[in-house]
Amino acid sequence: MAAEQDPEALEALAAARPLLTDLYQATMALGYWRAGRAREQAEFELFFRGCPFGGAFALAAGLRDCVRFLRAFRLRDADVQFLASVLPPDTDPAFFEYLRAVDCSDVTVPLLQVGGPLLVVQLLETPLLCLVSYASLIATNAARLRLIAGPKKRLLEMGLRRAQGPDGGLTASTYSYLGGFDGSSNVLAGQLRGVPVAGTLAHSFITSFLGTEVPPDPMLAPAAGQGPRVDLAARVEAWLDRVCAHLGRGVQEPHRGERAAFVAYALAFPRAFQGLLDTYSVQRSGLPNFLAVALALGELGYRAVGVRLDSGDLLQQAQEIRRVFRTISGQFQMPWLESISIAVSNNIGEEELARLAQEGSEVNVIGIGTSVVTCPRQPSLGCVYKLVSVGGQPRMKLTEDPEKQTLPGSKAAFRLLRADGSPLLDVLQLAEEQPPQAGRELRVWPRGAQEAWTVKPARVEPLLRLWVQRGQLCEPLPSLAESRAFAQLSLSHLSPDHKRLEQPAPYPVALSDKLRALVASLLAGGSS
Amino acid sequence: MAAEQDPEALEALAAARPLLTDLYQATMALGYWRAGRAREQAEFELFFRGCPFGGAFALAAGLRDCVRFLRAFRLRDADVQFLASVLPPDTDPAFFEYLRAVDCSDVTVPLLQVGGPLLVVQLLETPLLCLVSYASLIATNAARLRLIAGPKKRLLEMGLRRAQGPDGGLTASTYSYLGGFDGSSNVLAGQLRGVPVAGTLAHSFITSFLGTEVPPDPMLAPAAGQGPRVDLAARVEAWLDRVCAHLGRGVQEPHRGERAAFVAYALAFPRAFQGLLDTYSVQRSGLPNFLAVALALGELGYRAVGVRLDSGDLLQQAQEIRRVFRTISGQFQMPWLESISIAVSNNIGEEELARLAQEGSEVNVIGIGTSVVTCPRQPSLGCVYKLVSVGGQPRMKLTEDPEKQTLPGSKAAFRLLRADGSPLLDVLQLAEEQPPQAGRELRVWPRGAQEAWTVKPARVEPLLRLWVQRGQLCEPLPSLAESRAFAQLSLSHLSPDHKRLEQPAPYPVALSDKLRALVASLLAGGSS
């Protein structure tokens, strides 16, 4: 695994650009500027109203990309010129001069409350939503898949080709790793984000071989480096006879092109040989060919790493293959062969994953593409970014649609924990209120409940951390691997009732007395 | 609308990078190289097996991005170094030297057959799939939404915040335009791709105003430029009295903060004023406030462009608002007001779109986000990239899963047309066969049919065009707007039976005699 890289050049490529935004952010910028309100201090909150996939938890992700974006935020000349071309031709040129000087040096971000000049924090809406929404969705999806798979299966994300274009794929690989996957097939995610990468061979590699090709150098030295080099292809043919005799198969059955491909791959990767078994027929061709190559390598002191299946009944085939590995490893005294890895892929969703992860399954590695990347059960998270205060005054959207109402005012958020460390509820309160105290009773109003609850937390954790103050990073961002460990730790503390994937108990989120009173007074006044 | 820009600097940012690929492409590259086969001539085909969304057509899109990617394809030092870090440490350094020199100068691409050196065309698999798959999916989705909406409604894509990260959004905006949308909210898609952009204001702009703010300059000159400047805010208050009297509402009901926001926006955009009506209450506040501002502007010779609704029953509100526009425009002799645009948004999917597009609907503009960008009905298109020939010999994947079998050999594809220009069927044949002739009978084998069909096309169109030959572009790429017009023209020729969105008649795709015979002989031989 490579270290996470972050030089300026890569950052410029990876991060969103200032014009990756909805046009109305620019029209509103002109509106604020024309009204003399561009520099007024404002605060927005970025949040989602419900957990995705019918679950009761979500991982909030995307901080890293948001911080990168904020620090680099600056409209270039070409950007301002383009905006000028789509705004009215009689727009005051002073507005464009103003835009040229705009950056995030007055913006403060505890994730994800965003405070700063009204014009600037409005401009940030769309890119921040874009950076957080899908990242959180796929991290949560990955966490669900990890819960289904259990801790021992190796989960690989391989959905790049199913993502929404290049950066969709990069985002997917990064945040499925954060959510609990072990790695990705996506090389760029390894290079730019330090995600562990994995991959071996596709069917095309195998079908490209007829078996008539003559390798320029079929010779392989023993693993220990001592002893003469041997002709691997010739040794494989000898082993094939013994394998076929043991399996009761004719030596003509296994496809010679497939065997040539395995030999070619083994010559390139003698210490990391893996066979893809289902190009022609697993039982009649792929498995005997693989075994012949694995045993020939074994004779030279190399250990094949495993096999992959990409079609058919994956679980059943894995069980059969493991049985064959056991008898062959005994028969030919290669004990390591018994436990080599069986990897599977092919459109695996939540249901099939549960089957593959059941007790007694011989599957070790599970590659998931489409269903982790596209989140088919809910392909978007309804993140919103709402104005909660301007000039220190709370703001609230008082629409006739109660679903779309917002909670006004600059806020703080705390997680109240039981003595065993498990979370009891989260509480939102006004920023100026005293934080809840451990061991002290507190009255709160859970959303959706008719009455107040009185709770006595054993511990209190603040949920909003200040990451960017006046444009400057307050503390180093955690590495991706650290964020991944933190996410898994947080999940491990959550009660199984909330972690249940179907019909979980909702996790309570409550308002403080004061916040609830502010909402009530604004609702009664009909005005913010 | 800005011209489509394509300087090198932007291209480098927009296109996929060589390491945006699955690791197994690199491991296979090493395998081919070690087997002495890196330069062998090979051909891959990129295709999908079924049309998405249960429909019978698809728009194939993404050519532009593929061509950009191919022309820029080159592994930089840092890329090769990263690959070296994830491949076995004892890999022959000559392999990495080989990779440094790799580019697409020997690659030939009729969209999308990709021919060239085996190692290179294998490396291209994942990025090409990534560039074509989602582009085609969203273009097709947009085409379906256009079919539902009919030709007259203005359709705007506004799903950037729901896309899979930054480039997911850029791809979505570009290809939903190609598929038939009129424009996008995404400014970057305007700047980089020439997509028409649109946008006005969000609820946050409105809630940011209390009505106590003092604009630095409330004065506005008449549209014609002649005559004294007037205090717009004061004129709006005068008009509000008249509007409220006409509507039978108290003048205290409309929210003053909302009115201040409208005035601020009108001062910034006197020629492009649009009101977002549902921040507080459409009937009690948004509509009277909008009318007061629109009439005050009208008095000065400016015409408001319209209103937007973002919640509630969009169709019913549009009907009511249009009635009010009609009576107000008569009452105050501003006839243009009757027909200003009513735009709607709020989670609009296929079903709601059909309702909004029904006969007599007063909705003019429909903004769609989530359901165009995420394609919730089928969030990925199963594009594959399969080896069809190596060294001039056909290759076929003969798996036990018939769904995953491929059609072997280098091929040509033709569309056979009826005399009225409507497509009859598409035929696939071997590249060496004579093209079908107009007016001459032809025997073909439709996929899925038991018997041959004899057809006599009135016209024959080749479907594969050569875009890149030995790394060079053969003809200029069409502009995005040209591609959009071509897609709409193609769709207009397709029979309504195939265009039907639910349970359409499948469009026939047939094999030539020779191609069918090749498939049969490879299946019988069990070997490629």
Side-chain angles (χ1 to χ4, degrees), chain A residues 436-455:
Chain A
Q437 303 289 311
R440 192 174 301 176
E441 280 201 342
L442 183 74
R443 192 169 76 145
V444 295
W445 298 85
R447 301 285 278 165
Q450 295 302 313
E451 292 179 9
W453 291 7
T454 301
V455 292

mmCIF file of all heavy atoms in Angstrom, chain A residues 436-455:
data_model
loop_
_atom_site.group_PDB
_atom_site.id
_atom_site.type_symbol
_atom_site.label_atom_id
_atom_site.label_comp_id
_atom_site.label_asym_id
_atom_site.label_seq_id
_atom_site.Cartn_x
_atom_site.Cartn_y
_atom_site.Cartn_z
ATOM 1 N N PRO A 436 -23.963 19.669 27.493
ATOM 2 C CA PRO A 436 -24.453 18.701 28.486
ATOM 3 C C PRO A 436 -23.288 18.203 29.338
ATOM 4 O O PRO A 436 -22.152 18.128 28.864
ATOM 5 C CB PRO A 436 -25.020 17.556 27.626
ATOM 6 C CG PRO A 436 -25.209 18.131 26.271
ATOM 7 C CD PRO A 436 -24.205 19.221 26.114
ATOM 8 N N GLN A 437 -23.569 17.883 30.611
ATOM 9 C CA GLN A 437 -22.523 17.424 31.523
ATOM 10 C C GLN A 437 -22.684 15.932 31.788
ATOM 11 O O GLN A 437 -23.803 15.475 32.029
ATOM 12 C CB GLN A 437 -22.638 18.156 32.872
ATOM 13 C CG GLN A 437 -22.570 19.675 32.772
ATOM 14 C CD GLN A 437 -21.176 20.160 32.427
ATOM 15 O OE1 GLN A 437 -20.209 19.737 33.049
ATOM 16 N NE2 GLN A 437 -21.075 21.025 31.418
ATOM 17 N N ALA A 438 -21.574 15.222 31.820
ATOM 18 C CA ALA A 438 -21.609 13.805 32.165
ATOM 19 C C ALA A 438 -22.136 13.664 33.591
ATOM 20 O O ALA A 438 -21.783 14.461 34.478
ATOM 21 C CB ALA A 438 -20.215 13.206 32.062
ATOM 22 N N GLY A 439 -23.002 12.690 33.785
ATOM 23 C CA GLY A 439 -23.506 12.409 35.132
ATOM 24 C C GLY A 439 -24.593 13.357 35.595
ATOM 25 O O GLY A 439 -25.089 13.254 36.716
ATOM 26 N N ARG A 440 -24.975 14.313 34.759
ATOM 27 C CA ARG A 440 -26.019 15.254 35.176
ATOM 28 C C ARG A 440 -27.277 15.060 34.322
ATOM 29 O O ARG A 440 -27.175 14.880 33.102
ATOM 30 C CB ARG A 440 -25.514 16.686 35.046
ATOM 31 C CG ARG A 440 -26.454 17.670 35.747
ATOM 32 C CD ARG A 440 -25.928 19.068 35.782
ATOM 33 N NE ARG A 440 -24.632 19.173 36.478
ATOM 34 C CZ ARG A 440 -23.939 20.305 36.562
ATOM 35 N NH1 ARG A 440 -24.384 21.413 35.982
ATOM 36 N NH2 ARG A 440 -22.790 20.340 37.209
ATOM 37 N N GLU A 441 -28.434 15.126 34.972
ATOM 38 C CA GLU A 441 -29.690 14.928 34.238
ATOM 39 C C GLU A 441 -29.939 16.069 33.258
ATOM 40 O O GLU A 441 -29.581 17.217 33.527
ATOM 41 C CB GLU A 441 -30.860 14.835 35.223
ATOM 42 C CG GLU A 441 -30.962 13.463 35.858
ATOM 43 C CD GLU A 441 -32.359 13.194 36.400
ATOM 44 O OE1 GLU A 441 -33.121 14.167 36.583
ATOM 45 O OE2 GLU A 441 -32.683 12.012 36.632
ATOM 46 N N LEU A 442 -30.603 15.729 32.202
ATOM 47 C CA LEU A 442 -30.826 16.701 31.120
ATOM 48 C C LEU A 442 -32.186 16.398 30.510
ATOM 49 O O LEU A 442 -32.532 15.230 30.313
ATOM 50 C CB LEU A 442 -29.726 16.478 30.073
ATOM 51 C CG LEU A 442 -29.675 17.388 28.864
ATOM 52 C CD1 LEU A 442 -29.152 18.752 29.278
ATOM 53 C CD2 LEU A 442 -28.756 16.779 27.804
ATOM 54 N N ARG A 443 -32.953 17.468 30.225
ATOM 55 C CA ARG A 443 -34.237 17.258 29.567
ATOM 56 C C ARG A 443 -34.073 17.571 28.083
ATOM 57 O O ARG A 443 -33.583 18.645 27.728
ATOM 58 C CB ARG A 443 -35.296 18.161 30.184
ATOM 59 C CG ARG A 443 -36.698 17.764 29.725
ATOM 60 C CD ARG A 443 -37.743 18.475 30.552
ATOM 61 N NE ARG A 443 -37.839 19.865 30.125
ATOM 62 C CZ ARG A 443 -38.987 20.557 30.117
ATOM 63 N NH1 ARG A 443 -40.114 19.994 30.519
ATOM 64 N NH2 ARG A 443 -38.992 21.814 29.732
ATOM 65 N N VAL A 444 -34.454 16.623 27.243
ATOM 66 C CA VAL A 444 -34.332 16.848 25.794
ATOM 67 C C VAL A 444 -35.619 16.405 25.107
ATOM 68 O O VAL A 444 -36.428 15.679 25.684
ATOM 69 C CB VAL A 444 -33.141 16.050 25.196
ATOM 70 C CG1 VAL A 444 -31.819 16.542 25.758
ATOM 71 C CG2 VAL A 444 -33.312 14.557 25.398
ATOM 72 N N TRP A 445 -35.767 16.861 23.866
ATOM 73 C CA TRP A 445 -36.976 16.583 23.082
ATOM 74 C C TRP A 445 -36.625 15.786 21.839
ATOM 75 O O TRP A 445 -36.239 16.357 20.817
ATOM 76 C CB TRP A 445 -37.638 17.908 22.691
ATOM 77 C CG TRP A 445 -38.064 18.699 23.879
ATOM 78 C CD1 TRP A 445 -37.299 19.549 24.612
ATOM 79 C CD2 TRP A 445 -39.351 18.676 24.495
ATOM 80 N NE1 TRP A 445 -38.017 20.075 25.649
ATOM 81 C CE2 TRP A 445 -39.301 19.564 25.601
ATOM 82 C CE3 TRP A 445 -40.560 18.011 24.228
ATOM 83 C CZ2 TRP A 445 -40.402 19.790 26.437
ATOM 84 C CZ3 TRP A 445 -41.656 18.249 25.053
ATOM 85 C CH2 TRP A 445 -41.565 19.116 26.145
ATOM 86 N N PRO A 446 -36.767 14.459 21.935
ATOM 87 C CA PRO A 446 -36.443 13.662 20.739
ATOM 88 C C PRO A 446 -37.366 14.033 19.584
ATOM 89 O O PRO A 446 -38.572 14.245 19.792
ATOM 90 C CB PRO A 446 -36.700 12.216 21.187
ATOM 91 C CG PRO A 446 -36.654 12.257 22.673
ATOM 92 C CD PRO A 446 -37.165 13.613 23.061
ATOM 93 N N ARG A 447 -36.781 14.107 18.387
ATOM 94 C CA ARG A 447 -37.569 14.409 17.190
ATOM 95 C C ARG A 447 -38.608 13.308 17.019
ATOM 96 O O ARG A 447 -38.301 12.128 17.122
ATOM 97 C CB ARG A 447 -36.666 14.419 15.955
ATOM 98 C CG ARG A 447 -35.548 15.435 16.037
ATOM 99 C CD ARG A 447 -36.022 16.832 15.828
ATOM 100 N NE ARG A 447 -36.161 17.152 14.404
ATOM 101 C CZ ARG A 447 -36.824 18.206 13.959
ATOM 102 N NH1 ARG A 447 -37.427 19.032 14.800
ATOM 103 N NH2 ARG A 447 -36.878 18.458 12.673
ATOM 104 N N GLY A 448 -39.836 13.708 16.765
ATOM 105 C CA GLY A 448 -40.880 12.733 16.513
ATOM 106 C C GLY A 448 -41.594 12.277 17.768
ATOM 107 O O GLY A 448 -42.670 11.695 17.699
ATOM 108 N N ALA A 449 -41.001 12.518 18.955
ATOM 109 C CA ALA A 449 -41.668 12.123 20.202
ATOM 110 C C ALA A 449 -42.564 13.265 20.678
ATOM 111 O O ALA A 449 -42.311 14.430 20.377
ATOM 112 C CB ALA A 449 -40.631 11.772 21.258
ATOM 113 N N GLN A 450 -43.597 12.947 21.420
ATOM 114 C CA GLN A 450 -44.533 13.966 21.904
ATOM 115 C C GLN A 450 -44.058 14.581 23.224
ATOM 116 O O GLN A 450 -44.458 15.686 23.560
ATOM 117 C CB GLN A 450 -45.930 13.350 22.101
ATOM 118 C CG GLN A 450 -46.582 12.864 20.808
ATOM 119 C CD GLN A 450 -46.713 13.969 19.780
ATOM 120 O OE1 GLN A 450 -47.153 15.081 20.086
ATOM 121 N NE2 GLN A 450 -46.304 13.689 18.545
ATOM 122 N N GLU A 451 -43.250 13.830 23.961
ATOM 123 C CA GLU A 451 -42.867 14.298 25.284
ATOM 124 C C GLU A 451 -41.347 14.387 25.421
ATOM 125 O O GLU A 451 -40.615 13.754 24.667
ATOM 126 C CB GLU A 451 -43.388 13.326 26.344
ATOM 127 C CG GLU A 451 -44.906 13.355 26.419
ATOM 128 C CD GLU A 451 -45.435 12.378 27.448
ATOM 129 O OE1 GLU A 451 -44.600 11.816 28.207
ATOM 130 O OE2 GLU A 451 -46.657 12.183 27.475
ATOM 131 N N ALA A 452 -40.950 15.131 26.423
ATOM 132 C CA ALA A 452 -39.515 15.246 26.704
ATOM 133 C C ALA A 452 -39.014 13.964 27.367
ATOM 134 O O ALA A 452 -39.779 13.221 27.973
ATOM 135 C CB ALA A 452 -39.272 16.434 27.630
ATOM 136 N N TRP A 453 -37.707 13.711 27.163
ATOM 137 C CA TRP A 453 -37.049 12.625 27.888
ATOM 138 C C TRP A 453 -36.089 13.264 28.877
ATOM 139 O O TRP A 453 -35.485 14.290 28.570
ATOM 140 C CB TRP A 453 -36.203 11.752 26.950
ATOM 141 C CG TRP A 453 -36.946 10.916 25.982
ATOM 142 C CD1 TRP A 453 -38.279 10.920 25.738
ATOM 143 C CD2 TRP A 453 -36.360 9.943 25.106
ATOM 144 N NE1 TRP A 453 -38.581 10.006 24.757
ATOM 145 C CE2 TRP A 453 -37.418 9.392 24.350
ATOM 146 C CE3 TRP A 453 -35.062 9.483 24.885
ATOM 147 C CZ2 TRP A 453 -37.206 8.402 23.389
ATOM 148 C CZ3 TRP A 453 -34.855 8.504 23.925
ATOM 149 C CH2 TRP A 453 -35.932 7.958 23.187
ATOM 150 N N THR A 454 -35.939 12.615 30.012
ATOM 151 C CA THR A 454 -34.883 13.043 30.923
ATOM 152 C C THR A 454 -33.798 11.975 30.887
ATOM 153 O O THR A 454 -34.083 10.796 31.090
ATOM 154 C CB THR A 454 -35.437 13.228 32.340
ATOM 155 O OG1 THR A 454 -36.472 14.216 32.267
ATOM 156 C CG2 THR A 454 -34.331 13.713 33.273
ATOM 157 N N VAL A 455 -32.601 12.400 30.564
ATOM 158 C CA VAL A 455 -31.516 11.433 30.400
ATOM 159 C C VAL A 455 -30.325 11.850 31.263
ATOM 160 O O VAL A 455 -30.154 13.029 31.585
ATOM 161 C CB VAL A 455 -31.055 11.337 28.922
ATOM 162 C CG1 VAL A 455 -32.154 10.718 28.072
ATOM 163 C CG2 VAL A 455 -30.663 12.700 28.370
#
